[in-house]
Amino acid sequence: MEQIVQLNSQAKLSEHFTLGEMTKSNSHPEVYNIPSHEAIANMKRVCEWLEVLRKRYNERYNACHLEHHPSVMSSVVETSHEISPRAALGRDDKGGALGRDDKEKPIIINSGYRSPQLNKKIGGVAGSNHLTGCAVDIRVLGMEQLIRYATILLDYADESKQDFDELLIERNRYGAIWLHFAVRPFSNRHKVAFIRA
């Protein structure tokens, strides 16, 4: 009988990010998506950057005002194949606001680590940083929030003298946008670009 591998989804990769949220797939929960130890180490590295992003974004913008910004409500659509329409609007499935409280808004991950099977199923590129746990797709409420996230990450790279591999504004054929961010253990390319599917 084949042994079933279980994932400890509550294991913390950093103070605010868990293994479960970095490996979940809303669109294909049936697909085996268990990372290697190396991929988990890579996810921890990415989470260090996400912690800085979360802290600085909350300090600067107190995120709650974006939910009521008129341009956000008119421009937000489902940001990828990994997210529900309610979640794209910052709402849970019961219509309640997402987030821990008004003072500290979470950074919400649409997609993190992907097994080769999951990456193929959702149409990811063959050499994707998601395959090694080095990348995340971050949900945004609109272009304004995306630019603020990108600015914080770019400023942190300059200040800390650390480099990243990719900071991409991605857009699908339906017009949905999200921020793709990747950090490799070495050979980071500092690629900043707008990618349209």
Side-chain angles (χ1 to χ4, degrees):
M1 183 172 173
E2 186 178 328
Q3 182 180 9
I4 297 172
V5 177
Q6 296 292 324
L7 183 67
N8 180 1
S9 63
Q10 296 306 309
K12 288 195 164 213
L13 298 175
S14 67
E15 183 181 356
H16 295 102
F17 296 92
T18 65
L19 188 56
E21 70 186 304
M22 296 292 284
T23 57
K24 73 174 168 51
S25 171
N26 292 333
S27 61
H28 297 285
E30 77 285 358
V31 177
Y32 184 85
N33 199 41
I34 307 294
S36 66
H37 292 290
E38 182 181 348
I40 290 171
N42 290 337
M43 284 186 276
K44 286 181 178 181
R45 185 176 302 103
V46 172
C47 287
E48 290 172 15
W49 287 74
L50 294 176
E51 289 291 350
V52 171
L53 174 60
R54 183 183 191 277
K55 181 176 187 295
R56 291 188 180 189
Y57 184 79
N58 279 300
E59 286 171 354
R60 292 181 191 177
Y61 305 110
N62 194 10
C64 61
H65 76 278
L66 286 176
E67 191 173 325
H68 304 292
H69 194 285
S71 67
V72 169
M73 297 314 287
S74 63
S75 66
V76 170
V77 293
E78 190 170 337
T79 59
S80 81
H81 36 271
E82 292 284 316
I83 178 175
S84 72
R86 281 189 181 272
L89 293 171
R91 299 282 176 199
D92 63 23
D93 289 333
K94 295 179 182 161
L98 289 171
R100 290 170 176 86
D101 57 47
D102 284 341
K103 292 185 181 175
E104 289 193 16
K105 297 292 183 184
I107 301 298
I108 300 173
I109 306 304
N110 287 341
S111 183
Y113 168 77
R114 297 178 194 157
S115 66
Q117 298 87 346
L118 179 59
N119 195 57
K120 184 176 180 182
K121 196 91 162 173
I122 65 172
V125 297
S128 173
N129 275 319
H130 288 282
L131 292 164
T132 58
C134 292
V136 290
D137 290 340
I138 304 170
R139 182 180 306 169
V140 295
L141 296 177
M143 188 59 78
E144 182 179 321
Q145 187 180 49
L146 190 151
I147 290 169
R148 287 177 173 176
Y149 281 180
T151 300
I152 290 168
L153 291 167
L154 289 168
D155 286 347
Y156 179 66
D158 290 344
E159 293 164 18
S160 66
K161 306 291 189 234
Q162 297 181 65
D163 214 348
F164 58 87
D165 191 52
E166 298 172 318
L167 191 153
L168 310 175
I169 296 172
E170 295 189 321
R171 180 182 193 131
N172 69 16
R173 64 179 181 243
Y174 305 109
I177 58 170
W178 60 92
L179 181 64
H180 171 92
F181 183 72
V183 180
R184 294 176 175 176
F186 51 84
S187 301
N188 287 295
R189 299 169 293 173
H190 199 93
K191 179 180 178 184
V192 178
F194 177 83
I195 306 292
R196 174 175 264 166

